[in-house]
Amino acid sequence: MRRRVGVGLVALVLSSAAFGTSGPFAKSLIEAGWSPGAVVLLRIAGAAALLLPIGLWQVRHQMRAVVRELPLVGLYGCLAVAAAQLGYFQAVERLAVGVALLIEYLGIVLVVLAVWVLTRRAPHRLTGVGIVLALVGLALVLDVTGQRTPDLVGVAWGLLAATGLAGHYVLAARETTLPSFTFAALGLGSGAVVLGVLGATGVLPMVAGDSRVDVAGHATPAWLALAELVVVAAAVAYVLGVLGARHLGSTLASFVGLTEVLFAVLFAWLVLGELPGPWQLVGGVVILAGVAAVRLGERARAEDGERDGADFDLPSPVA
């Protein structure tokens, strides 16, 4: 597929905005007695049920291609969907939300390391600058200050979430014969199966809470909050995320995806009335600087690759 940076940027920013809506609605459900496991399973399973019929219809004449790509799709579902969701929600039970999210976004470092290992080429120095700026910006946006020594078990769950996040950007950027829509649908389906098994075995508690939840100070049906999580925060978010990653490549996509934190802060302000502080605004600027730095680093690396006749992107999976 020919990569278009403009299309990729728009798709991934919209994906980040969609993902960013999940926080306020999920929080309203959890505060009404819903367990995190139940919320995430309904979110992923609902999105899979919504997307799979359309995704399979797109490839109705290419079922052999679907079978060939099942290992990649299954790995994406396990890492990008199940591990990322399970790791994050488990970490939140033991750590402050900001700390858990910061640990999860260490996955961007894992992306750079994965590209380094697979291509055997060190990232450009500007990419390294982007890593530092992005992590500093995240710390400012999340306002992670004055924390005591974190729970080590919670840190371990956060690292699992980071691995899942890295898996999303690395695997979504791999070239496949499947359309982005179908790939996302199958990935959500496989992730839902994994989460369902964890729930059935008691590893992931499943508790349904009240039928009405508080959203922006208004009593709202729980099904409406769940519908937002399924349609916007999962279905739309994952489809656009896969499309954007394929156009941008895994490294740049992982940095643009950091804007999810900014959108999460914005929606928390609009829906929950949680106003961002001045340091969070500064952190947003620093994150954008990190995105710009990694973009310059990727461009410089691509120019070096053209002069050397080498391709530094992630290799395609073996058919």
Side-chain angles (χ1 to χ4, degrees):
M1 182 188 72
R2 182 182 178 185
R3 287 183 172 176
R4 297 179 176 87
V5 173
V7 173
L9 282 173
V10 172
L12 210 54
V13 168
L14 290 177
S15 172
S16 297
F19 275 125
T21 65
S22 64
F25 289 94
K27 183 175 182 177
S28 67
L29 287 162
I30 292 172
E31 289 181 344
W34 291 73
S35 68
V39 173
V40 69
L41 177 59
L42 289 173
R43 174 190 177 192
I44 299 304
L50 188 65
L51 297 180
L52 272 174
I54 303 173
L56 292 176
W57 176 261
Q58 283 186 325
V59 293
R60 62 191 182 279
H61 302 306
Q62 302 172 281
M63 295 311 296
R64 289 185 179 179
V66 173
V67 173
R68 287 198 306 268
E69 301 292 354
L70 282 180
L72 180 63
V73 169
L75 183 59
Y76 179 83
C78 289
L79 287 176
V81 179
Q85 296 289 333
L86 177 60
Y88 175 69
F89 280 106
Q90 292 285 1
V92 166
E93 288 186 352
R94 297 172 172 81
L95 303 172
V97 173
V99 174
L101 193 56
L102 180 58
I103 294 174
E104 179 183 5
Y105 269 88
L106 289 176
I108 62 174
V109 178
L110 299 180
V111 170
V112 174
L113 293 176
V115 173
W116 188 352
V117 170
L118 291 174
T119 63
R120 298 182 180 179
R121 293 282 182 170
H124 194 275
R125 60 182 179 277
L126 285 176
T127 302
V129 172
I131 292 175
V132 175
L133 289 176
L135 293 179
V136 170
L138 272 174
L140 293 173
V141 167
L142 297 172
D143 194 19
V144 185
T145 58
Q147 296 291 329
R148 294 176 295 179
T149 302
D151 186 304
L152 294 181
V153 175
V155 171
W157 281 114
L159 291 175
L160 176 64
T163 303
L165 183 67
H168 164 68
Y169 289 116
V170 171
L171 296 174
R174 300 292 292 271
E175 294 181 5
T176 75
T177 56
L178 298 178
S180 300
F181 192 100
T182 303
F183 185 87
L186 291 173
L188 286 167
S190 60
V193 170
V194 173
L195 291 170
V197 170
L198 292 174
T201 56
V203 175
L204 196 61
M206 299 290 173
V207 178
D210 296 339
S211 60
R212 301 189 71 81
V213 300
D214 184 8
V215 176
H218 301 283
T220 305
W223 68 262
L224 190 59
L226 286 169
E228 196 284 336
L229 290 173
V230 168
V231 177
V232 178
V236 172
Y238 273 97
V239 169
L240 290 177
V242 171
L243 176 63
R246 288 187 175 184
H247 279 289
L248 296 183
S250 57
T251 305
L252 180 57
S254 67
F255 281 86
V256 177
L258 288 171
T259 56
E260 177 190 343
V261 181
L262 301 180
F263 284 114
V265 171
L266 174 62
F267 288 120
W269 173 40
L270 295 176
V271 177
L272 303 175
E274 297 178 354
L275 290 173
W279 283 112
Q280 291 177 308
L281 297 177
V282 172
V285 174
V286 175
I287 287 177
L288 294 178
V291 172
V294 77
R295 177 67 186 117
L296 292 174
E298 287 290 280
R299 178 181 297 176
R301 190 175 67 162
E303 292 174 353
D304 291 341
E306 290 177 359
R307 287 194 294 269
D308 297 339
D311 180 8
F312 295 133
D313 204 357
L314 285 169
S316 301
V318 177

PDB file of all heavy atoms in Angstrom, residues 21 69 84 97 137 140 144 166 182 193 200 207 212 215 228 256 264 271 309:
ATOM      1  N   THR A  21     -12.171   9.453  24.282  1.00  0.00           N
ATOM      2  CA  THR A  21     -13.509   9.561  24.877  1.00  0.00           C
ATOM      3  C   THR A  21     -13.809   8.433  25.858  1.00  0.00           C
ATOM      4  O   THR A  21     -14.789   8.508  26.604  1.00  0.00           O
ATOM      5  CB  THR A  21     -14.590   9.542  23.780  1.00  0.00           C
ATOM      6  OG1 THR A  21     -14.586   8.262  23.128  1.00  0.00           O
ATOM      7  CG2 THR A  21     -14.355  10.636  22.752  1.00  0.00           C
ATOM      8  N   GLU A  69      -3.614 -14.868   7.106  1.00  0.00           N
ATOM      9  CA  GLU A  69      -3.310 -13.758   8.013  1.00  0.00           C
ATOM     10  C   GLU A  69      -3.787 -13.996   9.442  1.00  0.00           C
ATOM     11  O   GLU A  69      -3.565 -13.161  10.308  1.00  0.00           O
ATOM     12  CB  GLU A  69      -3.950 -12.458   7.489  1.00  0.00           C
ATOM     13  CG  GLU A  69      -3.508 -12.040   6.105  1.00  0.00           C
ATOM     14  CD  GLU A  69      -2.060 -11.613   6.045  1.00  0.00           C
ATOM     15  OE1 GLU A  69      -1.421 -11.532   7.113  1.00  0.00           O
ATOM     16  OE2 GLU A  69      -1.558 -11.366   4.936  1.00  0.00           O
ATOM     17  N   ALA A  84      -3.279  -5.025  26.233  1.00  0.00           N
ATOM     18  CA  ALA A  84      -3.288  -3.593  26.523  1.00  0.00           C
ATOM     19  C   ALA A  84      -4.434  -3.223  27.457  1.00  0.00           C
ATOM     20  O   ALA A  84      -4.252  -2.474  28.427  1.00  0.00           O
ATOM     21  CB  ALA A  84      -3.377  -2.800  25.219  1.00  0.00           C
ATOM     22  N   VAL A  97      -4.130   6.567  38.342  1.00  0.00           N
ATOM     23  CA  VAL A  97      -4.417   6.472  36.916  1.00  0.00           C
ATOM     24  C   VAL A  97      -3.295   7.079  36.083  1.00  0.00           C
ATOM     25  O   VAL A  97      -2.871   6.520  35.064  1.00  0.00           O
ATOM     26  CB  VAL A  97      -5.762   7.153  36.590  1.00  0.00           C
ATOM     27  CG1 VAL A  97      -5.974   7.216  35.079  1.00  0.00           C
ATOM     28  CG2 VAL A  97      -6.913   6.419  37.260  1.00  0.00           C
ATOM     29  N   GLY A 137       6.885  15.243  28.208  1.00  0.00           N
ATOM     30  CA  GLY A 137       5.575  15.852  28.007  1.00  0.00           C
ATOM     31  C   GLY A 137       4.458  15.058  28.642  1.00  0.00           C
ATOM     32  O   GLY A 137       3.531  15.612  29.236  1.00  0.00           O
ATOM     33  N   LEU A 140       4.300  15.661  32.312  1.00  0.00           N
ATOM     34  CA  LEU A 140       3.688  16.957  32.621  1.00  0.00           C
ATOM     35  C   LEU A 140       2.171  16.916  32.426  1.00  0.00           C
ATOM     36  O   LEU A 140       1.412  17.419  33.256  1.00  0.00           O
ATOM     37  CB  LEU A 140       4.300  18.044  31.743  1.00  0.00           C
ATOM     38  CG  LEU A 140       5.775  18.375  31.997  1.00  0.00           C
ATOM     39  CD1 LEU A 140       6.297  19.339  30.941  1.00  0.00           C
ATOM     40  CD2 LEU A 140       5.962  18.969  33.394  1.00  0.00           C
ATOM     41  N   VAL A 144       2.254  13.785  37.036  1.00  0.00           N
ATOM     42  CA  VAL A 144       2.733  12.717  37.918  1.00  0.00           C
ATOM     43  C   VAL A 144       3.800  13.293  38.843  1.00  0.00           C
ATOM     44  O   VAL A 144       4.984  13.288  38.539  1.00  0.00           O
ATOM     45  CB  VAL A 144       3.297  11.539  37.110  1.00  0.00           C
ATOM     46  CG1 VAL A 144       3.682  10.392  38.036  1.00  0.00           C
ATOM     47  CG2 VAL A 144       2.262  11.061  36.114  1.00  0.00           C
ATOM     48  N   ALA A 166       2.690  -1.303  22.353  1.00  0.00           N
ATOM     49  CA  ALA A 166       3.740  -1.447  21.337  1.00  0.00           C
ATOM     50  C   ALA A 166       3.301  -2.431  20.263  1.00  0.00           C
ATOM     51  O   ALA A 166       3.543  -2.218  19.061  1.00  0.00           O
ATOM     52  CB  ALA A 166       5.036  -1.913  21.988  1.00  0.00           C
ATOM     53  N   THR A 182     -11.102  -4.822   7.858  1.00  0.00           N
ATOM     54  CA  THR A 182     -11.193  -6.247   8.172  1.00  0.00           C
ATOM     55  C   THR A 182     -10.170  -6.644   9.221  1.00  0.00           C
ATOM     56  O   THR A 182     -10.469  -7.428  10.135  1.00  0.00           O
ATOM     57  CB  THR A 182     -10.974  -7.079   6.902  1.00  0.00           C
ATOM     58  OG1 THR A 182     -11.944  -6.696   5.916  1.00  0.00           O
ATOM     59  CG2 THR A 182     -11.098  -8.565   7.185  1.00  0.00           C
ATOM     60  N   VAL A 193     -12.389 -12.793  22.316  1.00  0.00           N
ATOM     61  CA  VAL A 193     -12.357 -14.212  22.701  1.00  0.00           C
ATOM     62  C   VAL A 193     -11.407 -14.421  23.880  1.00  0.00           C
ATOM     63  O   VAL A 193     -11.737 -15.112  24.853  1.00  0.00           O
ATOM     64  CB  VAL A 193     -11.932 -15.090  21.510  1.00  0.00           C
ATOM     65  CG1 VAL A 193     -11.655 -16.519  21.962  1.00  0.00           C
ATOM     66  CG2 VAL A 193     -13.003 -15.068  20.430  1.00  0.00           C
ATOM     67  N   ALA A 200     -14.472 -16.026  31.885  1.00  0.00           N
ATOM     68  CA  ALA A 200     -15.127 -17.296  32.203  1.00  0.00           C
ATOM     69  C   ALA A 200     -14.342 -18.094  33.228  1.00  0.00           C
ATOM     70  O   ALA A 200     -14.921 -18.838  34.030  1.00  0.00           O
ATOM     71  CB  ALA A 200     -15.313 -18.116  30.930  1.00  0.00           C
ATOM     72  N   VAL A 207     -18.710  -7.907  36.661  1.00  0.00           N
ATOM     73  CA  VAL A 207     -19.803  -7.446  37.514  1.00  0.00           C
ATOM     74  C   VAL A 207     -20.557  -6.340  36.792  1.00  0.00           C
ATOM     75  O   VAL A 207     -19.953  -5.356  36.340  1.00  0.00           O
ATOM     76  CB  VAL A 207     -19.284  -6.910  38.869  1.00  0.00           C
ATOM     77  CG1 VAL A 207     -20.453  -6.404  39.712  1.00  0.00           C
ATOM     78  CG2 VAL A 207     -18.502  -7.986  39.605  1.00  0.00           C
ATOM     79  N   ARG A 212     -28.300   3.058  35.430  1.00  0.00           N
ATOM     80  CA  ARG A 212     -28.127   4.474  35.087  1.00  0.00           C
ATOM     81  C   ARG A 212     -26.804   4.962  35.669  1.00  0.00           C
ATOM     82  O   ARG A 212     -26.413   4.572  36.767  1.00  0.00           O
ATOM     83  CB  ARG A 212     -29.290   5.333  35.612  1.00  0.00           C
ATOM     84  CG  ARG A 212     -30.652   4.892  35.072  1.00  0.00           C
ATOM     85  CD  ARG A 212     -31.736   5.884  35.428  1.00  0.00           C
ATOM     86  NE  ARG A 212     -31.637   7.139  34.685  1.00  0.00           N
ATOM     87  CZ  ARG A 212     -32.087   7.308  33.434  1.00  0.00           C
ATOM     88  NH1 ARG A 212     -32.666   6.304  32.798  1.00  0.00           N
ATOM     89  NH2 ARG A 212     -31.986   8.469  32.835  1.00  0.00           N
ATOM     90  N   VAL A 215     -23.219  11.057  33.808  1.00  0.00           N
ATOM     91  CA  VAL A 215     -22.363  11.592  32.746  1.00  0.00           C
ATOM     92  C   VAL A 215     -22.590  13.095  32.655  1.00  0.00           C
ATOM     93  O   VAL A 215     -23.693  13.552  32.361  1.00  0.00           O
ATOM     94  CB  VAL A 215     -22.666  10.931  31.378  1.00  0.00           C
ATOM     95  CG1 VAL A 215     -21.831  11.563  30.277  1.00  0.00           C
ATOM     96  CG2 VAL A 215     -22.408   9.439  31.447  1.00  0.00           C
ATOM     97  N   GLU A 228     -21.427   4.261  23.466  1.00  0.00           N
ATOM     98  CA  GLU A 228     -20.347   5.181  23.086  1.00  0.00           C
ATOM     99  C   GLU A 228     -19.007   4.467  23.113  1.00  0.00           C
ATOM    100  O   GLU A 228     -18.176   4.638  22.203  1.00  0.00           O
ATOM    101  CB  GLU A 228     -20.332   6.373  24.036  1.00  0.00           C
ATOM    102  CG  GLU A 228     -19.525   7.573  23.546  1.00  0.00           C
ATOM    103  CD  GLU A 228     -18.016   7.402  23.674  1.00  0.00           C
ATOM    104  OE1 GLU A 228     -17.586   6.588  24.524  1.00  0.00           O
ATOM    105  OE2 GLU A 228     -17.269   8.083  22.948  1.00  0.00           O
ATOM    106  N   VAL A 256       2.375   9.983  17.215  1.00  0.00           N
ATOM    107  CA  VAL A 256       1.136  10.712  16.961  1.00  0.00           C
ATOM    108  C   VAL A 256       0.039  10.197  17.893  1.00  0.00           C
ATOM    109  O   VAL A 256      -0.801  10.963  18.361  1.00  0.00           O
ATOM    110  CB  VAL A 256       0.710  10.563  15.489  1.00  0.00           C
ATOM    111  CG1 VAL A 256      -0.626  11.271  15.241  1.00  0.00           C
ATOM    112  CG2 VAL A 256       1.781  11.147  14.571  1.00  0.00           C
ATOM    113  N   ALA A 264      -7.854  12.903  25.939  1.00  0.00           N
ATOM    114  CA  ALA A 264      -8.441  12.387  27.175  1.00  0.00           C
ATOM    115  C   ALA A 264      -8.596  13.506  28.200  1.00  0.00           C
ATOM    116  O   ALA A 264      -9.617  13.600  28.890  1.00  0.00           O
ATOM    117  CB  ALA A 264      -7.573  11.264  27.735  1.00  0.00           C
ATOM    118  N   VAL A 271     -16.624  16.640  29.883  1.00  0.00           N
ATOM    119  CA  VAL A 271     -17.639  15.728  30.413  1.00  0.00           C
ATOM    120  C   VAL A 271     -17.656  15.688  31.931  1.00  0.00           C
ATOM    121  O   VAL A 271     -18.715  15.638  32.551  1.00  0.00           O
ATOM    122  CB  VAL A 271     -17.413  14.305  29.851  1.00  0.00           C
ATOM    123  CG1 VAL A 271     -18.419  13.326  30.442  1.00  0.00           C
ATOM    124  CG2 VAL A 271     -17.516  14.314  28.323  1.00  0.00           C
ATOM    125  N   GLY A 309      20.159   2.740  -0.633  1.00  0.00           N
ATOM    126  CA  GLY A 309      19.415   1.683  -1.305  1.00  0.00           C
ATOM    127  C   GLY A 309      18.833   0.674  -0.352  1.00  0.00           C
ATOM    128  O   GLY A 309      18.617  -0.480  -0.691  1.00  0.00           O
TER     129      GLY A 309
END
